Amino acid sequence: MFSPNGKYLFSCSDDKSVRIWDLVNNGVCFKSLNNMHDTFISCIALNSKLMVTGDVANLIKVWEIR
C-alpha cells in the first residue's frame, strides 16, 4: 500500500510485521513494525492519519500514524 504522498510503501507479511519502505531514498526499508498481530497479516490500508491491518484470523487493528 502506497502512502498518500507516494513517498513510502507499506508492506505486510506472514512474519506478523509491517515494513515501511522509503521510495525516495533508494527504496530501503527504514522501519519494521514487528509482532503486530498473533497470526499472519494479510491486508493493510491507510490514509494520512490511520493504518488498518487485518490478519488471517479476521482480526482488524487500527493504528495511529505519526
Side-chain angles (χ1 to χ4, degrees), residues 22-49:
D22 187 342
L23 300 178
V24 176
N25 295 310
N26 298 324
V28 296
C29 177
F30 76 93
K31 181 155 283 275
S32 182
L33 308 169
N34 298 309
N35 297 315
M36 297 178 66
H37 285 259
D38 292 331
T39 60
F40 300 168
I41 299 174
S42 58
C43 59
I44 186 169
L46 57 105
N47 63 26
S48 61
K49 296 182 182 181

Side-chain angles (χ1 to χ4, degrees), residues 1-25:
M1 167 66 57
F2 290 97
S3 65
N5 63 10
K7 294 181 180 180
Y8 305 103
L9 175 68
F10 289 68
S11 64
C12 56
S13 176
D14 61 357
D15 68 358
K16 307 172 197 167
S17 72
V18 170
R19 288 186 175 79
I20 306 171
W21 305 85
D22 187 342
L23 300 178
V24 176
N25 295 310

Side-chain angles (χ1 to χ4, degrees), residues 55-66:
D55 65 24
V56 296
N58 296 320
L59 178 67
I60 296 172
K61 293 186 178 185
V62 179
W63 310 88
E64 184 179 1
I65 296 175
R66 296 182 190 183

